Amino acid sequence: MSETIVQKFGGTSLGSVERIDAVAEIIKKASKKNKIAVVVSAMSGETNRLIDLANSFGNNPDKREFDALVSTGETISSALLSMALHSKGIKARSFSASQIAIRTTSSYSKAKILDVDAKKILDVLENDTIPIITGFQGITEGGDITTLGRGGSDTTAVAIAAQINANRCDIYTDVDGIFTTDPDIVSNAKKLDSITMEEMLELAGQGAKVVQTRAVEFANKYHVPVRVLSSFNDGSGTLISLKDESMENALVSGIASQKDQVKFTLHSVGDIPGTAFKILGPISEAEVEVDVIVQNVSIDGKTDFTFTVSNEDQEIVKKILSNIKDEINYKELIINPDIAKVSLVGAGMRSQSGVASKAFKALSENDVNIQIICTSEIKITMVIKEEEVEKAINVLHEEFELDK
Ligand code: ASP
Ligand code: MG
């Protein structure tokens, strides 16, 4: 029985005319058996080039025009890929976000998809034609062009797969799939054949960069199975499955890390209701994402409050905290940018104990000091010194025998 599959191709997969030709071959082959809808990124380097261009007249370009400009890379890819398919005798048509009505919120450069004209896509498929849709782009209620944030084409692909009820979304990239950890850090990192959606969500949220986090959230919410695979090499990639079909969950499936982090500690704040909200409320209002949040037990009614944010938000957080200094009445603000997060993720942690102590032991034997520990059901996050990240990951990868 024929399935409907959304195939998404990233920038490196479409990086040259030769690459576009190779991608057209992949689509051609897949379209013999299944109905295929395609979502494309800009050719590699193109979005960066457009962003640089946007800063030609001062580095604070109008937000609407910025998105109008940087969204054009995807338009180029979609038309070119469509032409490549025509040259192989395959019926294809390029579509921009406005043509397919990918409606988004109006927050430029980080717009969120609200709706897609599924009927339009289904009509094209019905005509045995392959729609080649621009990723990353959206359109507001008023018809202005938006973009979804860097890496946003993944989200477009999953959103379209959800809306047309596709059987799967295949995300083609330049690596063979999802690995136990970054192969640039651990040379014997292993490609995973499958991983559960919840594990992928945690890994993506903690720094694994292969698929945009928002795309995984979408896939989880709308129950779209996703496969991540290479457009350069043959292979079945990694299936991100909705249900874990294997009998036993892996204790640790993968290790992710994030370097560009800053740790803020408000020393000696009052242990009274409302303190956490007074600190984090204005920070979340400024759309800053806060991760690892810890508050210690109090001594004499005073406690320490610590959290991490990404480096790029350091200045704005500093400003917010100095604005609320009188209200919160902290004694000292300690800012440490020399930190990183390392996270172990595995669905098996839910039912088996001892993962944390095993990790702590391995790190201590290798003189890695853990500054903060923060856990969820299937994740352990440790904040350590930035320069020790590679070492820590190698130690943990070995300890949990992830290469086996
Ligand atoms: N072209 C956009 C970017 O470089 C979107 C994407 O590739 O997913 O971020
Ligand atoms: Mg990408």
Side-chain angles (χ1 to χ4, degrees):
M1 198 187 77
S2 135
E3 298 192 321
T4 302
I5 292 170
V6 173
Q7 295 185 326
K8 182 260 171 179
F9 295 93
T12 46
S13 296
L14 301 165
S16 63
V17 171
E18 291 73 30
R19 287 298 318 156
I20 291 177
D21 189 71
V23 162
E25 278 301 324
I26 293 175
I27 297 169
K28 180 178 174 182
K29 199 169 147 206
S31 68
K32 291 201 172 112
K33 278 185 285 177
N34 295 309
K35 283 201 180 305
I36 304 293
V38 174
V39 172
V40 292
S41 285
M43 295 168 78
S44 57
E46 183 66 5
T47 306
N48 288 339
R49 186 183 77 86
L50 294 166
I51 291 173
D52 287 346
L53 260 182
N55 292 323
S56 303
F57 305 99
N59 50 20
N60 198 11
D62 181 85
K63 290 187 164 64
R64 177 182 182 276
E65 307 312 334
F66 182 89
D67 276 14
L69 177 64
V70 304
S71 64
T72 59
E74 274 68 13
T75 309
I76 295 171
S77 302
S78 64
L80 265 178
L81 180 56
S82 186
M83 292 174 192
L85 283 161
H86 296 165
S87 78
K88 296 178 192 299
I90 303 284
K91 288 202 280 178
R93 286 188 79 179
S94 66
F95 291 97
S96 69
S98 66
Q99 289 172 310
I100 220 97
I102 303 178
R103 284 252 182 275
T104 69
T105 57
S106 54
S107 31
Y108 293 109
S109 296
K110 48 181 165 198
K112 294 206 162 69
I113 296 180
L114 300 171
D115 196 20
V116 174
D117 186 352
K119 185 170 180 303
K120 180 111 186 212
I121 302 171
L122 292 169
D123 285 350
V124 176
L125 288 171
E126 236 1 86
N127 266 315
D128 290 321
T129 300
I130 299 176
I132 313 287
I133 303 161
T134 54
F136 189 49
Q137 291 183 8
I139 181 166
T140 66
E141 189 69 57
D144 287 332
I145 295 167
T146 56
T147 62
L148 308 179
R150 298 309 303 265
S153 302
D154 292 345
T155 303
T156 309
V158 176
I160 285 174
Q163 296 275 346
I164 66 171
N165 248 319
N167 298 80
R168 201 176 65 234
C169 180
D170 284 351
I171 296 189
Y172 283 85
T173 178
D174 51 6
V175 292
D176 291 337
I178 308 292
F179 282 71
T180 48
T181 195
D182 184 346
D184 287 339
I185 298 177
V186 178
S187 57
N188 61 0
K190 210 177 87 183
K191 190 207 70 146
L192 297 162
D193 290 331
S194 71
I195 186 167
T196 66
M197 196 66 80
E198 58 168 4
E199 287 174 322
M200 193 62 226
L201 264 178
E202 295 280 22
L203 284 173
Q206 291 302 320
K209 282 187 219 70
V210 183
V211 189
Q212 203 204 29
T213 311
R214 199 125 61 76
V216 188
E217 284 166 3
F218 234 95
N220 190 39
K221 186 166 168 196
Y222 295 101
H223 307 286
V224 182
V226 172
R227 192 161 64 123
V228 177
L229 69 173
S230 167
S231 71
F232 293 76
N233 307 317
D234 287 338
S236 56
T238 303
L239 182 70
I240 308 175
S241 62
L242 297 170
K243 273 198 304 283
D244 188 25
E245 277 109 31
S246 61
M247 298 280 288
E248 207 177 328
N249 285 315
L251 200 53
V252 176
S253 291
I255 307 174
S257 66
Q258 262 179 323
K259 274 192 163 173
D260 306 321
Q261 303 287 302
V262 203
K263 185 176 76 175
F264 283 88
T265 301
L266 288 91
H267 172 55
S268 189
V269 296
D271 183 21
I272 45 173
T275 302
F277 175 64
K278 278 183 196 146
I279 299 168
L280 297 180
I283 293 175
S284 97
E285 240 164 69
E287 293 191 45
V288 171
E289 228 178 280
V290 177
D291 199 27
V292 181
I293 303 168
V294 280
Q295 181 184 317
N296 217 324
V297 289
S298 66
I299 297 170
D300 298 333
K302 292 284 181 187
T303 181
D304 292 341
F305 192 91
T306 301
F307 58 90
T308 62
V309 299
S310 114
N311 258 347
E312 62 191 39
D313 295 320
Q314 180 171 342
E315 286 314 311
I316 173 153
V317 172
K318 236 160 112 178
K319 205 161 131 206
I320 291 170
L321 293 179
S322 84
N323 284 344
I324 58 172
K325 166 114 181 76
D326 289 341
E327 204 184 340
I328 303 293
N329 203 10
Y330 53 86
K331 219 181 224 153
E332 198 189 343
L333 176 63
I334 306 158
I335 304 172
N336 185 356
D338 179 27
I339 57 130
K341 294 185 300 183
V342 173
S343 302
L344 293 169
V345 172
M349 283 184 206
R350 195 175 271 132
S351 53
Q352 289 182 61
S353 59
V355 179
S357 64
K358 198 170 168 180
F360 303 156
K361 180 163 182 277
L363 291 178
S364 77
E365 282 167 0
N366 288 276
D367 290 324
V368 175
N369 184 44
I370 308 167
Q371 303 174 17
I372 306 179
I373 300 161
C374 181
T375 62
S376 75
E377 252 190 320
I378 65 160
K379 176 185 74 185
I380 301 169
T381 297
M382 291 160 286
V383 173
I384 62 173
K385 227 177 166 167
E386 182 160 9
E387 67 199 42
E388 293 182 336
V389 166
E390 281 81 8
K391 176 166 132 184
I393 293 177
N394 272 283
V395 164
L396 294 167
H397 200 268
E398 169 107 33
E399 182 68 29
F400 289 95
E401 300 185 343
L402 297 188
D403 58 321
K404 302 276 156 62

